[in-house]
Amino acid sequence: MLLLSLTTANAAFAQTIGPIQSLSTSPSSASQRSPSALWDGQSYVLVWEEDRNDGNGKELFWVRMDNNGQLLTPNAQLLLGQAVNNNQSLPKLALNPSAQELLVTWADSRSSATQVYGTRVSLGTNGQSLDGTGFAVTSGASYGYPSVDCISTRCMFLYRKDAGGELEFRRMNPDGAFLDASSQDLVQDSLGQTIEQSAVVQARSSDFAVIWEDDRNGSNGTLGSDLFWGSIAASGNVPPISGQTLVSANLRQTAPSVSYESNSNELWVTWQDQRQGNLDVWFARFNSLSSTLNPAAISAGPDNEVFPSLGYKSTGSILVWEDFRTAYGSIYGSTLDSQGAVQ
């Protein structure tokens, strides 16, 4: 069933916030994966990929929830208003403050090579795509694992080029015109044959913080990956950056999600972590990226918990992830208080 409350009784096993079979039209075998959550100033928005419509591949669905996790949309809605051929997957949400719109990005295989797409979405309970079935951010080579965020003057798309495992970005004006004519390299090539992936971008006051998975510190490929971070200017030419280590532990740290707390200049970061064997959801606050506050496993059950996403709000936030404690992946979540502790 769909539990409308996000309150948890146990930090290790949070409650399902769906949507799953009893309150949606998805078949019992449908999987909900890769959730992304955001507080838009009025309500929480949750978007995810789902394979409920057999034959059309994965599609993007979304709901709105109020401050207490109660649904504002009675049923999950198709984000693009209609089914699109092949797969739309790995969605990420951002708020475009100057246009008072949501901006969504995802990986899309409607053409021969997977590309990164985006769309603007109107605010409100009945928000709809303002760009039809979306606009292409990338072209040519295959791309995936996108992320997006906006400050008042600029939005930034960040994604992975499949060939070579390199990260690239492209900045866009609030009106939808791209500042960068084509994709730009994020990380310096001189660092060696590193694998860079699972990147996320977070707007700060006047620039963008970027966090990604990088295996340069280990000798076992992605099994030795750590999280790195750097910053990108909102305008002008940006040379590739080297980045600094943010999270380092045994085995693999990947799939970060990040929010910015401007009053304390903190980055709130969640990620999936393999240090205890299975993939678990971890969370920490980073104070000016010089010290780590209260790092902890939020969900560390016997099965894998992956692809976490943080919907930040100053008085309390929601943390959602894809959870495999059942036969099919479902969306689970916890609430965090203003200090980042599980409620």
Side-chain angles (χ1 to χ4, degrees):
M1 67 177 176
L2 176 62
L3 300 179
L4 302 184
S5 173
L6 295 180
T7 303
T8 63
N10 186 300
F13 290 97
Q15 295 175 332
T16 306
I17 61 172
I20 55 177
Q21 174 63 19
S22 62
L23 290 181
S24 76
T25 58
S26 59
S28 59
S29 60
S31 296
Q32 299 99 32
R33 298 187 172 183
S34 304
S36 182
L38 176 145
W39 174 259
D40 69 3
Q42 301 295 323
S43 64
Y44 288 111
V45 182
L46 178 64
V47 62
W48 66 95
E49 66 179 68
E50 185 171 321
D51 59 358
R52 71 172 67 178
N53 294 322
D54 291 341
N56 284 324
K58 300 173 184 175
E59 295 162 334
L60 304 181
F61 288 84
W62 70 281
V63 293
R64 288 184 178 274
M65 297 175 289
D66 66 17
N67 189 50
N68 297 312
Q70 302 294 315
L71 280 178
L72 298 175
T73 45
N75 295 296
Q77 307 292 315
L78 271 170
L79 179 71
L80 302 180
Q82 65 185 73
V84 180
N85 288 336
N86 297 323
N87 292 325
Q88 291 75 54
S89 60
L90 302 171
K92 296 294 182 184
L93 282 165
L95 178 65
N96 186 348
S98 61
Q100 285 300 293
E101 298 167 346
L102 296 175
L103 187 60
V104 189
T105 187
W106 66 92
D108 198 300
S109 61
R110 69 182 72 178
S111 59
S112 57
T114 300
Q115 302 295 336
V116 172
Y117 271 68
T119 189
R120 298 166 298 154
V121 177
S122 57
L123 294 178
T125 302
N126 297 315
Q128 59 183 351
S129 171
L130 301 177
D131 298 294
T133 58
F135 56 85
V137 178
T138 61
S139 62
S142 181
Y143 291 88
Y145 295 96
S147 178
V148 67
D149 206 6
C150 303
I151 59 175
S152 60
T153 59
R154 203 81 68 216
C155 297
M156 177 176 163
F157 293 89
L158 179 62
Y159 37 85
R160 181 179 185 262
K161 185 177 182 179
D162 290 344
E166 296 181 346
L167 297 177
E168 297 183 357
F169 68 91
R170 199 175 181 194
R171 294 166 296 176
M172 186 182 78
N173 295 323
D175 62 2
F178 281 102
L179 174 67
D180 302 304
S182 60
S183 296
Q184 308 295 305
D185 286 339
L186 178 72
V187 182
Q188 295 174 5
D189 291 335
S190 60
L191 296 174
Q193 298 299 316
T194 61
I195 296 175
E196 306 145 12
Q197 58 187 3
S198 302
V200 63
V201 57
Q202 172 62 48
R204 298 192 292 185
S205 300
S206 59
D207 67 356
F208 296 98
V210 292
I211 300 175
W212 71 94
E213 174 189 356
D214 195 305
D215 68 346
R216 74 181 73 168
N217 289 339
S219 59
N220 296 319
T222 56
L223 281 179
S225 293
D226 299 319
L227 295 183
F228 279 69
W229 86 279
S231 62
I232 296 295
S235 59
N237 293 325
V238 178
I241 61 177
S242 60
Q244 301 175 359
T245 303
L246 184 68
V247 177
S248 181
N250 186 42
L251 296 177
R252 187 179 186 184
Q253 291 75 50
T254 185
S257 176
V258 58
S259 294
Y260 179 59
E261 211 297 305
S262 59
N263 292 330
S264 59
N265 193 30
E266 291 179 0
L267 287 179
W268 287 31
V269 184
T270 181
W271 67 95
Q272 66 185 50
D273 197 301
Q274 202 176 4
R275 71 182 69 183
Q276 295 176 341
N278 289 337
L279 291 172
D280 300 320
V281 172
W282 280 65
F283 167 83
R285 295 158 47 204
F286 294 89
N287 186 359
S288 301
L289 296 164
S290 60
S291 60
T292 306
L293 308 175
N294 70 338
I298 299 297
S299 183
D303 299 295
N304 287 332
E305 300 87 32
V306 297
F307 292 117
S309 179
L310 182 66
Y312 174 80
K313 184 164 62 73
S314 60
T315 57
S317 306
I318 63 169
L319 175 58
V320 295
W321 62 88
E322 178 185 343
D323 198 297
F324 285 93
R325 69 188 68 184
T326 57
Y328 298 92
S330 298
I331 307 303
Y332 277 61
S334 293
T335 51
L336 306 178
D337 64 19
S338 60
Q339 300 301 308
V342 174
Q343 294 179 307

